[in-house]
Amino acid sequence: MWQASPAGSMYDYIRVGSFSLGPDGRIDQWSRRAADLLGIPASAAIGKDPVAAFVPAELRELGHRKIAEILDGHDWVGLVPFRALEGTEAKGLAEVYVMPTETESGGKGALCLVVDVRALRRIETDLAASQAIFGQSPMGFLLFGPDLRVLRANERFATVFGGTVESHRGRGPGDYLPRAEADRLTAALRQVLETGQPVTELQLMGPVPGDPERRRWSLHLFRLHSASGRPIGVAGLATDVTKRRNAEREAASARRNLALLNAASTRIGNSLDLETTARELLAVAVPQFCDLASVDLYQGLLAGDETPPGLADGSAELRRVAFASAVADAPVVRGAGAGDSGEPHVIEVGEVHRYAFNSPHAAVLRTANARVIPGKEGEEGPELGGGVVQSTLAVPMVAHDTVVGLAQFSRTKGSEPFGERDTALALELAARAAVCIDNARLYRREHERALILQRSLLPPGDPEAAGLDIACRYLPGNTATEVGGDWFDVIELPGHRTALVVGDVMGRGLRAAVAMGELRTAVRTLALLDLEPAEVLSQLDEIARGLGAPAGAHASRKGMAGGRAADLAEVYLATCVYAVYDPVTRRATVANAGHLPPVLVAPGESAELLEVPTGMPLGVGGEPFEEVEVELPDGALLALYTDGLVESRDHPLDEGLDAFCKALGDPPPAPAAGDPSPLEDLCDRVLSTLDTGHGEDDIALLMARVQGLPADSVGDWTLAPEPRSVARARELARGQLVAWGLDALVDTTELLVSELVTNAMRYGEGEIRLRLLKDRTLVCEVWDGGLVQPRRRRARDTDEGGRGLQLVGLLSMGWGSRRTPRGKTVWFELAIPDGDSPLPDPTDALLSLF
């Protein structure tokens, strides 16, 4: 089959021309290529003697001899200098190949092929250079033909893939690479051959004979052309970049690990919540380090047990507290690792489960050593739902030499398997998270203890007070914040008066809660002494300073810095509002020690802040406290609170106070007897209206609506300081009790009133005042102008007196005395009969004194 070569073939590279000589030795044919090559047109050459026309004069004799020999039938090849037409300076050197010919008549002739020696030498040089580059290149060199088969391979390629250079001729990509990689190379070769666009840095992976390691190649492909531009194949230059790639991967892994550790240092441990800390660990690991991850913590640790959480064999109960995935929704643990039964099942977040003793997970918990679990189907192969797992890295979470849980990191097919560097990184991440989790556990335990302590010091149940409807709320900060020192109290005082207290210890934590308990106890003690509110705060200020002073004084004696002593004393700084309400006079006396002012809502009026002088906080000392007296009409609402209710980082204090007053602006109507729900509803409405869900601080709210004692529940008389007033006092008390329907208390009340009026007449001064108050109990008060306080003493058997106050103590629920601006008041309290418990018998009480 004949095939025509297109113009512009190999002959163009070597510049071949032709002409012929006739029997007379003259040129009878002159090709166009000869004209182009020698620069002599056919008109100037045909019919000429080539020696005389083109050869220099000094070589003509030799040239004629050679022509004669050729015409005699001899071949000849040689170099012939030539010159162009007369009058030109063009000269050259041609290699001429002369072949004798015969004409039809039997004459002798010759066919001459002419090659430009300069072009020939250039081609030889190019071929030598190409051969040197191709053969001596340290990189693999391949030439692919149009059929994408190897036309030629260099020695370097043959050295790597074995065999001789010739043995690779005719092979295709599939003979060197796995199918997937071979398909990629074939597609790239076809693209280069069709478009002419080179492909650079084509990354391929495949094995080489005698080496178990998979090599990575970087391949550059470009198309080859003939002189006419016709595509004749594709050249490929391959470089082994396995080591470079491994180094890059190691460097990238090191950078990734450093980035992960940096992220872990900033993200893990920001919360003092166990579950949040576990989720922070997984947020760092997925997907930067692995595709799926989970954290299991010992159930005992989460329950707050004091003993080490895990059993020695690693089979204690665990709870899955966190799971994260870049490819699936939930982890599935296969085979013996699933639990006691060994059956595969999904472990949901929050589920309590066990790992069987012979499972790799239990071994990790038991030995505290990390372990890579291959992702194969079988007893030890955990499969995580949705993705085919290549391997799982089970890492113990160890804090303070105690295993607190298990972290699992898994990679799916297509990801790199876990190596030693990955194991070291996972151990570091798990250790950091474990320490934070253990700290969170310890904090949670201390927080719960402080919260229990704090709540145990608050009034139990719903406080009750004469003439007041009371509702209160206490909301501790969330678990992410420390326990504060907020407290409130409702203290019943003699004469059916009530002390309302709200305070806040500055600082947080267990020490603040302890300081709050100490101050609350001190307030109760001072309140029962029946001191005025300003005097209560003054005494409380001294107590607070005394609580913090020893550490400061000790520090001064030891030469410690003043700042440290101040830190120790600062725990006992506190703010407090103390108010005493008298239901008979409907007046409240209020004193403030650096606290937010109470809010008063009078019937039909808007809420307003009480103008109470704000003194220094308790514990500062040096400044007296002032008190104000406020009249509270029936139906008025008084609210005491701590700053956590009205202050947060989202808005300033003034906005919070305005919102609080606005929420109190429309108080519910006065409730029916025994139905405090409207005030309770108001408490709930206030808390829901204000932003109390921020959890930044504890919140204490104490609300009291004034009821007052009705006028018919009060008996008040003035007696002259004379003996007959004793009988008059008994008569008045008897009549008032009969009017109230308290006949069962008449005898006891008469006896005790006689004792108190007699003492007031004997030891007191001025006129005597008798007052009876009926509410939940019966209170009797005897006032006089004397300053000597009654003192209970034990009378001897031979004494005729001295047993009056003993008798008062035996027959009453309680008794006491307090100073007044104009003397003193002695009082006793009796329980109103309810029919269930018998009243004490006065006769038995009198006999028991002897």
Side-chain angles (χ1 to χ4, degrees), residues 345-543:
H345 70 281
V346 177
I347 302 178
E348 302 288 351
V349 174
E351 179 181 347
V352 178
H353 63 98
R354 296 175 182 267
Y355 289 115
F357 175 79
N358 60 346
S359 67
H361 306 82
V364 171
L365 293 169
R366 188 165 54 248
T367 62
N369 294 322
R371 181 172 179 178
V372 176
I373 306 172
K376 61 183 179 179
E377 293 289 344
E379 289 296 317
E380 293 187 351
E383 300 292 336
L384 303 184
V388 181
V389 170
Q390 178 172 260
S391 61
T392 295
L393 180 58
V395 182
M397 303 184 71
V398 183
H400 309 300
D401 297 328
T402 301
V403 178
V404 299
L406 178 72
Q408 296 185 71
F409 308 97
S410 299
R411 290 178 179 172
T412 57
K413 293 294 184 181
S415 302
E416 295 183 0
F418 290 107
E420 294 182 3
R421 189 187 300 272
D422 295 322
T423 302
L425 176 62
L427 285 170
E428 178 66 21
L429 292 176
R432 293 191 181 195
V435 171
C436 294
I437 286 174
D438 193 55
N439 290 339
R441 176 184 67 87
L442 295 175
Y443 170 79
R444 175 182 288 183
R445 184 183 66 185
E446 296 302 318
H447 185 275
E448 290 176 352
R449 289 178 176 176
L451 197 58
I452 292 172
L453 171 63
Q454 187 180 40
R455 288 179 172 174
S456 67
L457 297 174
L458 296 175
D462 297 326
E464 295 183 357
L468 291 176
D469 179 17
I470 295 178
C472 54
R473 294 289 186 275
Y474 175 77
L475 302 179
N478 57 40
T479 56
T481 59
E482 293 187 90
V483 171
D486 294 14
W487 91 91
F488 68 90
D489 208 346
V490 178
I491 307 171
E492 293 188 70
L493 300 178
H496 285 316
R497 294 171 303 129
T498 304
L500 305 176
V501 188
V502 168
D504 184 3
V505 176
M506 296 182 184
R508 308 193 63 80
L510 187 59
R511 297 187 68 188
V514 172
M516 178 269 285
E518 293 175 323
L519 292 178
R520 178 180 178 271
T521 302
V523 169
R524 276 191 160 267
T525 302
L526 294 171
L528 294 179
L529 294 177
D530 215 349
L531 304 176
E532 295 298 323
E535 189 174 354
V536 169
L537 293 185
S538 297
Q539 295 296 328
L540 195 62
D541 177 58
E542 292 294 330
I543 293 173

